[in-house]
Amino acid sequence: MNPDIKEILSQLEQLKQNFLDEISNNLDARNTEDIKVKYLGRKGKLSSFFSLLGKVTPENKPLLGQELNRLKNFLQSEVDNLSKSVTKKSKKDDFFDISLPGVPAEIGTKHPLYQVLDEIKSIFTSLGFTTETGPELETDFYNFEALNIPKDHPSRDLQDTFYITDELVLRTHTSPVQIRTMKKMKPPIRMIAPGKCYRKDSIDATHFPVFHQVEGLCVDVGVTFADLKGIIWAFAKRLFGEDVKIRFRPSFFPFTEPSAEYDFSCVKCNGKGCNICKGTGWLEISGAGMVDPAVFKYVDYDSDKYTGYAFGMGVERIAMLKYQVADIRDFYENDLRFLKQF
Ligand code: DAH
């Protein structure tokens, strides 16, 4: 008996459906090849139907032949499209050249200001100083009063100081940490206090409303101005080299008596005069002096027994000199082209 043509056609339809299901789940190039062999190979699913051509009735033969060829062409073109899209996809998305050199991870560096700060700290640590800290939000008492800064002193002016309330300010210098430390400890004291300070300065090449200072304080029996000079000199040599010279000029600060400002010989021209030192051969660093007995009163130290020296220094100023940076704003703009140089 001849096989039923309707049955054959429905089996072909089923075969097509199975094929379409399989290619829709197809994931990689190897699968595509398997599908091709499975359906179109010599012993594949479709070939077995070709053998039926000789078994159907002569009038159904052209119909079956037509159907088989149509399906074969369809399967063939689907498989071709599939392998093209799979290779394209794997070339684009999955190709990985393991012989390429790796991409090095970028490692950050310490900010230049903090590199200088670290150097200042390590010099003073090696000279026997401890490191103390205090709050950036400071009371009027620590920032001004206990430092013997009178109520009408210009630095208390609203124009110069960031007041948070009548009693609270953003500290305008690191000197309040002197008071905090003396209240906390008894002499002998030898400490530095590094940290941020704030002033209402208009921004220009040498002023920024936030900046860093390092405060220094030494209190003991028999401390003299010569000790102050000695420590500043030792510090200057360690920071800028053996040839640096220092000088003290008389000055005034409410919390020191006598007071001075101190300078280092210019690191660029060695004292001859250049654009950095504005032709003077000297670079101003900051203020210093012997702790005023009036300050000792605020912390209950016996000023007949103890004497002490104090000094300040601006970290930005020192960093600008050390790295010959002309504009303080460079430290705060976070431009990687600048920061990467350090
Ligand atoms: N606090 C001062 C300022 O910000 C700097 C200073 C001067 C600190 C004299 C001191 C000192 O310890 O003795 O300008």
Side-chain angles (χ1 to χ4, degrees):
M1 202 181 92
N2 297 326
D4 180 4
I5 185 73
K6 273 200 194 140
E7 175 64 26
I8 297 172
L9 292 179
S10 103
Q11 282 174 5
L12 285 177
E13 191 48 44
Q14 187 59 48
L15 183 144
K16 184 178 170 187
Q17 201 48 55
N18 292 347
F19 169 84
L20 288 173
D21 285 349
E22 259 184 80
I23 61 168
S24 69
N25 294 327
N26 182 43
L27 290 174
D28 62 32
R30 196 150 21 113
N31 255 343
T32 313
E33 199 48 39
D34 289 348
I35 293 174
K36 188 175 172 183
V37 172
K38 185 167 164 187
Y39 286 90
L40 293 161
R42 265 200 305 129
K43 290 184 185 154
K45 290 190 185 243
L46 191 62
S47 334
S48 60
F49 281 89
F50 278 91
S51 60
L52 293 175
L53 274 174
K55 295 181 183 153
V56 290
T57 55
E59 59 273 22
N60 282 333
K61 201 172 168 178
L63 176 66
L64 182 59
Q66 222 176 16
E67 275 308 303
L68 286 174
N69 279 331
R70 220 173 38 198
L71 187 57
K72 187 180 166 193
N73 291 339
F74 174 76
L75 298 188
Q76 188 63 54
S77 79
E78 283 299 299
V79 164
D80 288 349
N81 284 345
L82 195 62
S83 62
K84 256 190 245 149
S85 76
V86 167
T87 21
K88 218 162 69 215
K89 187 164 166 263
S90 61
K91 274 216 181 100
K92 210 164 70 204
D93 299 344
D94 305 338
F95 178 72
F96 181 71
D97 183 352
I98 55 164
S99 68
L100 281 175
V103 183
E106 277 207 57
I107 297 173
T109 52
K110 203 164 234 178
H111 193 282
L113 279 180
Y114 279 80
Q115 289 183 32
V116 170
L117 203 50
D118 279 355
E119 196 177 345
I120 296 173
K121 275 197 253 179
S122 91
I123 295 172
F124 281 107
T125 304
S126 75
L127 294 169
F129 284 69
T130 61
T131 301
E132 305 295 331
T133 54
E136 287 169 29
L137 190 57
E138 196 46 286
T139 61
D140 178 275
F141 175 79
Y142 286 106
N143 197 79
F144 296 124
E145 194 182 333
L147 287 161
N148 201 31
I149 299 174
K151 287 270 185 242
D152 58 355
H153 195 274
S155 72
R156 285 179 173 247
D157 201 298
L158 277 169
Q159 304 289 323
D160 298 310
T161 302
F162 289 106
Y163 279 87
I164 305 300
T165 66
D166 282 351
E167 274 305 302
L168 285 177
V169 298
L170 289 178
R171 70 177 175 196
T172 57
H173 50 179
T174 44
S175 302
V177 189
Q178 289 187 29
I179 308 297
R180 290 187 173 272
T181 308
M182 287 192 280
K183 275 195 166 261
K184 196 171 69 179
M185 299 179 198
K186 291 281 154 235
I189 286 176
R190 230 192 229 180
M191 69 88 177
I192 56 160
K196 283 199 185 85
C197 308
Y198 303 83
R199 278 181 210 172
K200 269 191 184 169
D201 285 326
S202 324
I203 298 175
D204 63 24
T206 53
H207 295 87
F208 207 75
V210 55
F211 55 97
H212 296 73
Q213 286 188 341
V214 175
E215 192 74 16
L217 174 73
C218 170
V219 184
D220 202 351
V221 175
V223 174
T224 68
F225 204 100
D227 297 317
L228 168 63
K229 278 183 134 178
I231 219 73
I232 295 290
W233 193 35
F235 168 73
K237 284 197 200 189
R238 291 278 289 277
L239 193 70
F240 288 123
E242 279 299 313
D243 296 336
V244 75
K245 293 182 196 63
I246 60 163
R247 82 174 179 189
F248 283 73
R249 290 174 285 113
S251 186
F252 175 78
F253 295 99
F255 39 93
T256 43
E257 182 58 36
S259 301
E261 275 172 86
Y262 62 98
D263 308 333
F264 293 169
S265 58
C266 179
V267 286
K268 191 175 177 204
C269 65
N270 248 329
K272 286 183 206 70
C274 67
N275 60 334
I276 293 249
C277 58
K278 299 195 187 92
T280 64
W282 294 97
L283 303 164
E284 278 179 32
I285 303 296
S286 184
M290 300 305 290
V291 180
D292 194 307
V295 171
F296 282 153
K297 274 209 189 101
Y298 283 100
V299 295
D300 289 329
Y301 277 15
D302 181 352
S303 57
D304 289 333
K305 186 172 173 195
Y306 296 115
T307 51
Y309 64 73
F311 58 85
M313 58 182 71
V315 180
E316 280 77 358
R317 176 128 187 86
I318 291 178
M320 286 169 83
L321 298 174
K322 195 170 162 67
Y323 297 128
Q324 317 234 322
V325 174
D327 196 318
I328 194 171
R329 289 169 284 202
D330 288 338
F331 290 123
Y332 290 97
E333 275 168 1
N334 283 335
D335 185 334
L336 287 180
R337 290 168 301 179
F338 172 76
L339 294 176
K340 274 183 177 168
Q341 297 173 51
F342 302 94

